[in-house]
Protein backbone atom coordinates (compact mmCIF):
# COMPACT_ATOMS: atom_id res chain seq x y z
CA UNK A 1 0.00 0.00 0.00
CA UNK A 2 1.04 3.60 -0.54
CA UNK A 3 1.53 5.94 2.38
CA UNK A 4 -2.02 7.22 2.06
CA UNK A 5 -5.26 5.81 0.77
CA UNK A 6 -8.25 7.85 -0.37
CA UNK A 7 -11.77 7.00 0.75
CA UNK A 8 -14.29 6.82 -2.10
CA UNK A 9 -17.98 6.15 -1.39
CA UNK A 10 -20.93 5.08 -3.49
CA UNK A 11 -24.26 6.07 -1.93
CA UNK A 12 -27.19 4.02 -3.19
CA UNK A 13 -30.69 5.44 -2.79
CA UNK A 14 -33.92 5.91 -4.71
CA UNK A 15 -34.44 9.59 -5.61
CA UNK A 16 -38.11 10.57 -5.65
CA UNK A 17 -40.35 13.42 -6.73
CA UNK A 18 -39.41 15.58 -3.75
CA UNK A 19 -36.30 17.71 -4.08
CA UNK A 20 -36.34 18.38 -0.34
CA UNK A 21 -36.49 14.69 0.57
CA UNK A 22 -33.72 13.87 -1.88
CA UNK A 23 -31.44 16.53 -0.40
CA UNK A 24 -32.19 15.31 3.13
CA UNK A 25 -31.16 11.79 2.16
CA UNK A 26 -28.02 13.04 0.42
CA UNK A 27 -27.04 14.92 3.57
CA UNK A 28 -27.57 11.87 5.80
CA UNK A 29 -25.70 9.54 3.44
CA UNK A 30 -22.80 11.97 3.03
CA UNK A 31 -22.41 12.20 6.79
CA UNK A 32 -22.40 8.40 7.00
CA UNK A 33 -19.81 8.17 4.24
CA UNK A 34 -17.50 10.75 5.83
CA UNK A 35 -17.71 9.01 9.20
CA UNK A 36 -16.40 5.93 7.39
CA UNK A 37 -13.52 7.90 5.93
CA UNK A 38 -14.82 8.94 2.50
CA UNK A 39 -13.38 12.05 0.85
CA UNK A 40 -15.41 11.73 -2.38
CA UNK A 41 -19.04 10.54 -2.35
CA UNK A 42 -20.89 9.45 -5.51
CA UNK A 43 -24.69 9.50 -5.71
CA UNK A 44 -26.95 8.13 -8.47
CA UNK A 45 -28.21 9.68 -11.67
CA UNK A 46 -31.25 11.97 -11.25
CA UNK A 47 -30.45 12.51 -7.56
CA UNK A 48 -32.14 15.91 -7.50
CA UNK A 49 -35.52 14.71 -8.82
CA UNK A 50 -36.91 11.49 -10.30
CA UNK A 51 -40.29 10.07 -11.26
CA UNK A 52 -41.23 6.90 -13.13
CA UNK A 53 -42.56 7.11 -15.75
CA UNK A 54 -41.17 10.45 -16.86
CA UNK A 55 -43.70 13.24 -17.25
CA UNK A 56 -43.94 17.01 -17.54
CA UNK A 57 -42.86 17.41 -13.92
CA UNK A 58 -39.25 16.84 -15.03
CA UNK A 59 -39.07 20.25 -16.71
CA UNK A 60 -41.03 21.84 -13.86
CA UNK A 61 -38.44 20.62 -11.35
CA UNK A 62 -35.30 21.20 -13.40
CA UNK A 63 -32.80 23.69 -12.02
CA UNK A 64 -29.88 25.79 -13.21
CA UNK A 65 -26.32 25.05 -12.15
CA UNK A 66 -26.52 27.89 -9.63
CA UNK A 67 -29.88 26.69 -8.30
CA UNK A 68 -30.84 25.45 -4.84
CA UNK A 69 -29.70 21.84 -5.37
CA UNK A 70 -26.12 22.75 -6.23
CA UNK A 71 -26.10 25.43 -3.55
CA UNK A 72 -27.14 22.83 -0.96
CA UNK A 73 -24.49 20.39 -2.17
CA UNK A 74 -21.84 23.11 -1.93
CA UNK A 75 -22.82 23.97 1.64
CA UNK A 76 -22.79 20.28 2.60
CA UNK A 77 -19.41 19.73 0.93
CA UNK A 78 -17.98 22.71 2.81
CA UNK A 79 -19.41 21.53 6.11
CA UNK A 80 -18.00 18.00 5.77
CA UNK A 81 -14.83 18.74 3.75
CA UNK A 82 -15.81 16.34 0.98
CA UNK A 83 -16.44 16.30 -2.76
CA UNK A 84 -19.99 15.28 -3.70
CA UNK A 85 -20.90 13.91 -7.14
CA UNK A 86 -24.60 13.64 -7.98
CA UNK A 87 -27.09 13.62 -10.82
CA UNK A 88 -28.88 16.91 -11.44
CA UNK A 89 -32.03 17.51 -13.46
CA UNK A 90 -30.80 20.63 -15.24
CA UNK A 91 -32.97 23.13 -17.07
CA UNK A 92 -32.53 22.97 -20.87
CA UNK A 93 -32.94 25.66 -23.50
CA UNK A 94 -36.26 24.62 -25.04
CA UNK A 95 -38.32 24.57 -21.82
CA UNK A 96 -39.77 21.12 -22.58
CA UNK A 97 -36.83 18.77 -22.30
CA UNK A 98 -34.20 18.75 -19.54
CA UNK A 99 -30.51 17.96 -19.31
CA UNK A 100 -29.33 14.81 -17.54
CA UNK A 101 -26.37 16.37 -15.78
CA UNK A 102 -23.80 15.23 -13.23
CA UNK A 103 -22.11 17.80 -11.02
CA UNK A 104 -19.01 17.39 -8.88
CA UNK A 105 -19.17 19.91 -6.03
CA UNK A 106 -16.60 20.84 -3.38
CA UNK A 107 -16.46 23.50 -0.72
CA UNK A 108 -15.37 25.97 -3.40
CA UNK A 109 -18.34 25.21 -5.64
CA UNK A 110 -18.65 23.23 -8.86
CA UNK A 111 -15.52 21.27 -9.84
CA UNK A 112 -16.89 19.61 -13.00
CA UNK A 113 -20.13 19.34 -14.98
CA UNK A 114 -20.98 16.45 -17.31
CA UNK A 115 -24.10 16.16 -19.47
CA UNK A 116 -24.99 12.63 -20.48
CA UNK A 117 -23.83 11.87 -24.02
CA UNK A 118 -25.67 8.61 -24.72
CA UNK A 119 -29.37 8.69 -23.90
CA UNK A 120 -31.21 5.53 -22.91
CA UNK A 121 -33.21 4.82 -26.07
CA UNK A 122 -33.05 1.07 -25.57
CA UNK A 123 -34.79 -1.84 -23.86
CA UNK A 124 -38.15 -0.23 -24.60
CA UNK A 125 -37.22 3.16 -23.10
CA UNK A 126 -37.01 6.60 -24.80
CA UNK A 127 -35.00 8.94 -22.61
CA UNK A 128 -34.50 11.29 -25.55
CA UNK A 129 -38.23 12.12 -25.54
CA UNK A 130 -37.60 13.99 -22.29
CA UNK A 131 -33.86 14.70 -22.18
CA UNK A 132 -31.57 16.76 -24.38
CA UNK A 133 -28.31 14.93 -25.19
CA UNK A 134 -25.07 16.44 -24.00
CA UNK A 135 -22.78 18.05 -26.54
CA UNK A 136 -19.47 16.39 -27.33
CA UNK A 137 -16.97 18.27 -25.21
CA UNK A 138 -13.61 17.69 -23.53
CA UNK A 139 -13.74 15.11 -20.72
CA UNK A 140 -15.00 16.52 -17.46
CA UNK A 141 -12.40 15.95 -14.75
CA UNK A 142 -11.34 17.31 -11.39
CA UNK A 143 -8.39 16.72 -9.09
CA UNK A 144 -8.75 15.88 -5.40
CA UNK A 145 -6.52 14.21 -2.83
CA UNK A 146 -3.81 13.45 -5.34
CA UNK A 147 -6.11 11.73 -7.83
CA UNK A 148 -7.76 12.79 -11.06
CA UNK A 149 -11.47 11.93 -11.26
CA UNK A 150 -13.66 11.87 -14.38
CA UNK A 151 -17.42 11.83 -14.94
CA UNK A 152 -19.73 9.68 -17.07
CA UNK A 153 -23.33 8.51 -16.68
CA UNK A 154 -25.21 5.19 -16.67
CA UNK A 155 -25.85 4.13 -20.31
CA UNK A 156 -22.43 5.58 -21.23
CA UNK A 157 -21.01 2.36 -19.74
CA UNK A 158 -22.12 0.55 -22.89
CA UNK A 159 -19.92 2.84 -24.99
CA UNK A 160 -16.28 2.11 -24.12
CA UNK A 161 -15.11 5.21 -25.97
CA UNK A 162 -16.42 7.43 -23.17
CA UNK A 163 -14.27 5.78 -20.53
CA UNK A 164 -11.31 5.69 -22.93
CA UNK A 165 -11.47 9.46 -23.41
CA UNK A 166 -11.34 9.78 -19.62
CA UNK A 167 -8.23 7.58 -19.53
CA UNK A 168 -6.66 9.73 -22.25
CA UNK A 169 -7.33 12.77 -20.04
CA UNK A 170 -5.32 11.23 -17.22
CA UNK A 171 -8.28 10.09 -15.15
CA UNK A 172 -7.47 7.59 -12.41
CA UNK A 173 -11.00 7.13 -11.02
CA UNK A 174 -14.11 7.13 -13.21
CA UNK A 175 -17.27 8.12 -11.35
CA UNK A 176 -20.56 6.81 -12.75
CA UNK A 177 -23.92 7.99 -11.37
CA UNK A 178 -26.59 5.67 -12.80
CA UNK A 179 -30.20 4.58 -12.89
CA UNK A 180 -29.57 1.14 -14.36
CA UNK A 181 -33.08 -0.09 -15.09
CA UNK A 182 -33.94 -3.62 -13.98
CA UNK A 183 -34.67 -6.35 -16.53
CA UNK A 184 -33.47 -9.76 -17.72
CA UNK A 185 -29.71 -10.06 -17.23
CA UNK A 186 -29.39 -6.36 -16.39
CA UNK A 187 -27.54 -7.03 -13.10
CA UNK A 188 -25.07 -9.11 -15.12
CA UNK A 189 -24.66 -6.36 -17.71
CA UNK A 190 -24.11 -3.73 -15.01
CA UNK A 191 -21.40 -5.56 -13.15
CA UNK A 192 -19.68 -6.83 -16.31
CA UNK A 193 -19.53 -3.38 -17.91
CA UNK A 194 -18.30 -1.61 -14.77
CA UNK A 195 -15.52 -4.18 -14.43
CA UNK A 196 -14.68 -4.10 -18.15
CA UNK A 197 -14.29 -0.32 -18.15
CA UNK A 198 -11.89 -0.63 -15.21
CA UNK A 199 -9.89 -3.49 -16.70
CA UNK A 200 -9.44 -2.06 -20.19
CA UNK A 201 -8.44 1.38 -18.90
CA UNK A 202 -6.52 0.14 -15.84
CA UNK A 203 -8.20 2.66 -13.56
CA UNK A 204 -10.66 2.60 -10.66
CA UNK A 205 -14.42 2.85 -11.29
CA UNK A 206 -17.01 3.89 -8.71
CA UNK A 207 -20.62 3.45 -9.88
CA UNK A 208 -23.72 4.40 -7.87
CA UNK A 209 -27.17 3.10 -8.84
CA UNK A 210 -30.80 3.31 -7.72
CA UNK A 211 -31.92 0.27 -5.70
CA UNK A 212 -34.78 -2.03 -6.76
CA UNK A 213 -37.54 -2.06 -7.77
CA UNK A 214 -36.53 0.40 -10.53
CA UNK A 215 -32.75 0.04 -10.50
CA UNK A 216 -30.64 -3.07 -10.11
CA UNK A 217 -28.75 -1.72 -7.11
CA UNK A 218 -25.31 -3.27 -6.68
CA UNK A 219 -23.46 0.05 -6.49
CA UNK A 220 -19.79 -0.85 -6.59
CA UNK A 221 -16.19 0.34 -6.51
CA UNK A 222 -13.69 -1.73 -8.49
CA UNK A 223 -9.92 -1.55 -8.81
CA UNK A 224 -7.83 -1.32 -12.02
CA UNK A 225 -8.01 -5.09 -12.42
CA UNK A 226 -11.78 -5.15 -12.08
CA UNK A 227 -11.82 -6.54 -8.54
CA UNK A 228 -14.67 -5.33 -6.34
CA UNK A 229 -13.33 -3.38 -3.35
CA UNK A 230 -16.66 -2.38 -1.83
CA UNK A 231 -20.27 -2.75 -2.87
CA UNK A 232 -23.90 -2.42 -1.85
CA UNK A 233 -26.49 -5.11 -2.51
CA UNK A 234 -30.09 -4.09 -3.10
CA UNK A 235 -30.57 -1.93 0.01
CA UNK A 236 -30.34 1.80 0.50
CA UNK A 237 -26.81 2.06 1.86
CA UNK A 238 -23.31 3.47 1.52
CA UNK A 239 -20.16 1.53 0.62
CA UNK A 240 -16.67 2.96 1.09
CA UNK A 241 -13.40 1.74 -0.43
CA UNK A 242 -10.03 3.10 0.68
CA UNK A 243 -8.13 3.03 -2.56
CA UNK A 244 -4.37 3.02 -3.01
CA UNK A 245 -3.35 5.47 -5.77
CA UNK A 246 -0.11 3.53 -6.31
CA UNK A 247 -2.14 0.53 -7.50
CA UNK A 248 -2.65 2.13 -10.91
CA UNK A 249 1.08 2.39 -11.63
CA UNK A 250 1.67 -1.16 -10.40
CA UNK A 251 -1.05 -2.57 -12.66
CA UNK A 252 0.14 -0.55 -15.67
CA UNK A 253 3.70 -1.82 -15.28
CA UNK A 254 2.42 -5.38 -15.64
CA UNK A 255 -0.37 -4.61 -18.12
CA UNK A 256 0.63 -1.62 -20.31
CA UNK A 257 -2.46 -1.95 -22.52
CA UNK A 258 -3.04 1.80 -22.74
CA UNK A 259 0.50 2.40 -23.95
CA UNK A 260 0.24 -0.41 -26.53
CA UNK A 261 -2.93 0.87 -28.23
CA UNK A 262 -2.86 1.48 -31.99
CA UNK A 263 -6.16 3.37 -32.21
CA UNK A 264 -7.49 6.63 -30.77
CA UNK A 265 -11.03 7.82 -30.09
CA UNK A 266 -12.41 10.51 -32.39
CA UNK A 267 -15.91 12.07 -32.30
CA UNK A 268 -18.53 10.84 -34.73
Amino acid sequence: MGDETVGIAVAQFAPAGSREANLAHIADATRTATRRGARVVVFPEYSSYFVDPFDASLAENAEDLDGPFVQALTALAADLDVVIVAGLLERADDGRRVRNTVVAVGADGIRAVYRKLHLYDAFGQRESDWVEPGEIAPPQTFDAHGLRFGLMTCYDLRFPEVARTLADAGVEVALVPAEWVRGPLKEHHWRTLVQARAIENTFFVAAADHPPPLGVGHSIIVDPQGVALAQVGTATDVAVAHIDPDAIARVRRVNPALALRRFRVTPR
Side-chain angles (χ1 to χ4, degrees):
M1 298 286 286
D3 293 335
E4 292 187 11
T5 60
V6 180
I8 311 296
V10 286
Q12 181 167 293
F13 86 109
S18 168
R19 290 180 289 179
E20 295 76 14
N22 294 337
L23 276 171
H25 183 88
I26 288 169
D28 288 344
T30 303
R31 292 188 183 97
T32 298
T34 56
R35 283 196 300 269
R36 298 178 187 174
R39 307 303 302 277
V40 177
V41 185
V42 186
F43 286 90
E45 185 179 19
Y46 292 114
S47 282
S48 69
Y49 183 88
F50 184 77
V51 291
D52 180 66
F54 284 170
D55 58 29
S57 70
L58 292 183
E60 294 166 3
N61 286 275
E63 300 184 18
D64 294 324
L65 291 175
D66 59 356
F69 184 75
V70 172
Q71 290 178 16
L73 293 188
T74 302
L76 182 63
D79 183 46
L80 298 174
D81 188 25
V82 68
V83 176
I84 301 170
V85 177
L88 165 68
L89 204 61
E90 186 190 1
R91 187 173 288 121
D93 293 331
D94 65 10
R96 183 182 63 84
R97 293 193 296 175
V98 298
R99 295 188 179 115
N100 184 338
T101 301
V102 172
V103 291
V105 176
D108 53 350
I110 293 175
R111 300 279 188 89
V113 176
Y114 173 75
R115 296 180 177 100
K116 189 176 184 181
L117 284 176
H118 298 95
L119 300 183
Y120 187 56
D121 289 358
F123 296 92
Q125 305 289 321
R126 286 282 302 176
E127 189 177 27
S128 64
D129 288 345
W130 302 96
V131 178
E132 176 184 285
E135 294 183 359
I136 295 175
Q140 287 297 295
T141 68
F142 65 93
D143 295 334
H145 308 294
L147 287 165
R148 175 158 292 181
F149 296 84
L151 305 178
M152 55 190 292
T153 310
C154 197
Y155 192 49
D156 286 332
L157 281 170
R158 294 186 182 272
F159 301 85
E161 302 85 1
V162 179
R164 182 52 53 87
T165 61
L166 294 180
D168 283 344
V171 164
E172 294 156 301
V173 188
L175 307 178
V176 192
E179 204 292 283
W180 199 265
V181 180
R182 292 188 79 193
L185 297 176
K186 293 296 288 298
E187 289 91 341
H188 171 66
H189 291 187
W190 166 254
R191 189 179 181 96
T192 299
L193 290 167
V194 169
Q195 291 175 308
R197 300 296 81 86
I199 293 166
E200 69 197 5
N201 293 294
T202 54
F203 58 21
F204 293 91
V205 178
D209 192 25
H210 294 214
L214 294 177
V216 302
H218 298 287
S219 299
I220 188 170
I221 303 162
V222 300
D223 76 3
Q225 298 197 84
V227 176
L229 301 177
Q231 56 191 316
V232 181
T234 56
T236 296
D237 204 353
V238 174
V240 179
H242 297 273
I243 70 173
D244 177 10
D246 294 341
I248 296 169
R250 291 198 299 269
V251 170
R252 289 178 179 176
R253 280 195 295 269
V254 176
N255 174 23
L258 286 178
L260 296 174
R261 286 176 300 154
R262 299 183 67 184
F263 296 91
R264 298 287 175 182
V265 177
T266 57
R268 181 179 173 183

